[in-house]
């Protein structure tokens, strides 16, 4: 079996660190690990399979010098914009975790369980884009439902953990919790978010758009339509909540006219779908929560119920670890599927 030289750009960041954990858990066919970061990180190391590996500086020539086959990018859109082309020119496939390439018509946007066939389009650009974290966990639940009844419209409200803003978001919540417990909130620093996050929710993620939605909300709209290959109507409200890890989503799905939803059929379709698990026993207080999904590679779905007014509408709650399912794990699954498809050609 062929083994690959694998580079991780942004090796010292939250997603970069998780990529190493996920690759190890999935026994990724690694020949050599190439951790890459800015010059600031020189001298630091990462751990992979109980070995300490030195972090190298990201340069225009590092991919060629290290004969990189697969390059994971998780260091921000501007870094991907500047350096991804050098990885491609060196012969690597780039799997990009940033938003920079997602809506490029020549770059496939992939959730392997949902649209694996799109991976074959990677040769046009040499790049495969990883969707927004909230989009990934949502489409994992939408795909089986679309196959079941045909989706017409989706309305979603998110409850997004602070780790979606990286390490600085987690550190700010923890510091503000400490300040609250020591009665120093009036002195607390507000840097990672527009407002205090502890003991609060912030109904804005990313910048405002002309249509009144935020950039994060429009990502969910456009990315879902691209992944599902369907111009379904989508409306999103994205909210930051004081949870360290795992995003939650309250989702309302409107199916095609004439559909009469059978909740048991919905549960069965979701439970059978790859990497989705149903936890749905309201009477016994069993449903998805961030503490259930954190540090797992599963999207959990529960609180499934038929609308009390419209027979073609279903509501449910969806939770996943956005650092894993919404970033690192999806990237690794893309790479594994790419390897599988390359072997079949």
């Amino acid at each position: 079996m062929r083994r690959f030289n694998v580079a991780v750009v942004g090796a010292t960041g939250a997603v970069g660190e998780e990529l190493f954990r996920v690759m190890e858990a999935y026994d990724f066919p690694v020949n050599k690990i190439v951790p890459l970061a800015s010059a600031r990180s020189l001298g630091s190391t990462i751990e992979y399979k109980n070995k300490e590996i030195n972090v190298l500086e990201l340069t225009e020539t590092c991919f060629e010098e290290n004969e990189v086959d697969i390059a994971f990018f998780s260091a921000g859109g501007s870094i991907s914009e500047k350096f991804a082309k050098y990885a491609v020119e060196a012969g690597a496939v780039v799997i990009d975790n940033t938003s920079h390439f997602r809506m490029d018509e020549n770059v496939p946007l992939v959730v392997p369980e949902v649209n694996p066939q799109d991976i074959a389009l990677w040769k046009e650009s040499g790049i495969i884009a990883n969707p927004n974290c909230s989009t990934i966990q949502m489409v994992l639940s939408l795909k089986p439902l679309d196959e079941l009844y045909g989706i017409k419209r989706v309305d979603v409200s998110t409850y997004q953990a602070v780790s979606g803003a990286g390490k600085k978001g987690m550190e700010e919540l923890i510091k503000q919790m400490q300040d609250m417990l020591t009665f120093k909130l009036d002195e607390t620093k507000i840097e990672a978010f527009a407002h205090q996050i502890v003991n609060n929710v912030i109904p804005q993620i990313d910048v405002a758009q002309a249509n009144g939605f935020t950039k994060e909300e429009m990502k969910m709209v456009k990315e879902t339509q691209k992944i599902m290959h369907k111009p379904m109507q989508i409306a999103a409200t994205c909210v930051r909540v004081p949870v360290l890890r795992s995003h939650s989503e309250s989702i309302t799905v409107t199916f095609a006219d004439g559909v009469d939803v059978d909740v048991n059929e919905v549960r069965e379709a979701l439970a059978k779908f790859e990497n989705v698990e149903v936890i749905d026993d309201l009477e016994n207080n069993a449903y998805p929560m961030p503490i259930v999904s954190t540090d797992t590679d599963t999207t959990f779905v529960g609180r499934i119920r038929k609308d009390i007014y419209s027979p073609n509408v279903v509501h449910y709650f969806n939770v996943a670890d956005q650092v894993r399912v919404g970033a690192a794990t999806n990237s690794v699954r893309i790479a594994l599927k790419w390897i599988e498809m390359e072997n079949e050609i």
Side-chain angles (χ1 to χ4, degrees), residues 116-127:
Q117 71 282 357
D118 289 353
I119 291 174
L121 304 173
W122 77 275
K123 289 187 177 180
E124 289 194 34
S125 64
I127 299 167

Side-chain angles (χ1 to χ4, degrees), residues 235-270:
T237 302
C238 293
V239 183
R240 187 74 69 193
V241 298
V243 170
L244 276 173
R245 190 150 160 167
S246 287
H247 289 351
S248 304
E249 299 173 341
S250 177
I251 301 174
T252 294
V253 176
T254 302
F255 296 109
D257 295 341
V259 169
D260 190 356
V261 170
D262 182 320
V263 171
N264 289 326
E265 289 183 346
V266 169
R267 284 197 190 97
E268 184 178 357
L270 288 164

Side-chain angles (χ1 to χ4, degrees), residues 25-305:
Y26 279 59
D27 196 21
F28 199 88
V30 169
N31 177 56
K32 179 173 72 171
I33 288 286
V34 185
L36 299 169
S38 69
R40 296 192 305 272
S41 295
L42 288 180
S44 59
T45 61
I46 63 95
E47 184 176 320
Y48 187 75
K49 291 194 172 180
N50 298 317
K51 293 181 180 178
E52 295 289 325
I53 303 173
N54 291 326
V55 175
L56 305 178
E57 183 178 0
L58 174 64
T59 66
E60 296 175 2
T61 59
C62 64
F63 302 99
E64 186 174 5
E65 290 166 354
N66 289 280
E67 299 179 325
V68 171
D69 302 302
I70 299 170
F72 294 106
F73 274 70
S74 297
S78 61
I79 298 298
S80 294
E81 180 182 16
K82 180 177 179 181
F83 288 98
K85 60 187 176 185
Y86 300 114
V88 172
E89 288 169 2
V93 58
V94 169
I95 299 172
D96 186 55
N97 255 305
T98 77
S99 62
H100 183 72
F101 296 105
R102 289 176 188 160
M103 298 314 298
D104 187 320
E105 60 182 17
N106 294 318
V107 175
L109 183 66
V110 175
V111 177
E113 301 91 331
V114 176
N115 61 328
Q117 71 282 357
D118 289 353
I119 291 174
L121 304 173
W122 77 275
K123 289 187 177 180
E124 289 194 34
S125 64
I127 299 167
I128 303 170
N130 196 61
N132 177 271
C133 49
S134 298
T135 301
I136 291 171
Q137 69 185 76
M138 184 170 75
V139 298
L140 280 165
S141 63
L142 293 183
K143 179 66 173 180
L145 300 186
D146 191 46
E147 291 177 344
L148 179 64
Y149 290 135
I151 293 175
K152 180 179 179 181
R153 180 181 172 93
V154 177
D155 292 274
V156 55
S157 292
T158 70
Y159 309 76
Q160 294 182 222
V162 294
S163 49
K167 286 184 176 179
K168 66 181 187 299
M170 292 186 282
E171 289 167 356
E172 187 152 311
L173 173 59
I174 291 169
K175 181 61 168 64
Q176 289 182 4
M177 290 171 68
Q178 293 169 339
D179 288 344
M180 182 175 67
L181 293 172
T182 55
F183 305 99
K184 295 179 181 178
L185 263 182
D186 56 335
E187 303 172 16
T188 200
K189 288 185 178 181
I190 298 173
E191 295 175 343
F193 307 107
H195 303 278
Q196 172 188 310
I197 186 60
V198 73
N199 203 30
N200 193 26
V201 299
I202 304 172
Q204 177 182 355
I205 299 177
D206 217 323
V207 296
Q209 305 293 285
N211 61 4
F213 287 83
T214 67
K215 189 175 181 181
E216 179 84 355
E217 291 159 356
M218 292 310 300
K219 286 177 188 176
M220 294 189 73
V221 174
K222 294 174 181 177
E223 292 177 18
T224 300
Q225 292 170 341
K226 181 175 179 178
I227 294 164
M228 300 281 289
H229 295 287
K230 188 171 183 177
M232 61 179 68
Q233 299 175 11
I234 303 165
T237 302
C238 293
V239 183
R240 187 74 69 193
V241 298
V243 170
L244 276 173
R245 190 150 160 167
S246 287
H247 289 351
S248 304
E249 299 173 341
S250 177
I251 301 174
T252 294
V253 176
T254 302
F255 296 109
D257 295 341
V259 169
D260 190 356
V261 170
D262 182 320
V263 171
N264 289 326
E265 289 183 346
V266 169
R267 284 197 190 97
E268 184 178 357
L270 288 164
K272 285 182 176 178
F273 199 70
E274 187 179 4
N275 298 316
V276 173
E277 182 177 330
V278 173
I279 304 176
D280 193 29
D281 187 357
L282 184 60
E283 290 184 1
N284 291 299
N285 309 317
Y287 26 69
M289 297 178 290
I291 58 172
V292 172
S293 64
T294 292
D295 216 22
T296 76
D297 295 327
T298 301
T299 295
F300 295 90
V301 181
R303 293 302 319 279
I304 303 166
R305 66 249 189 234

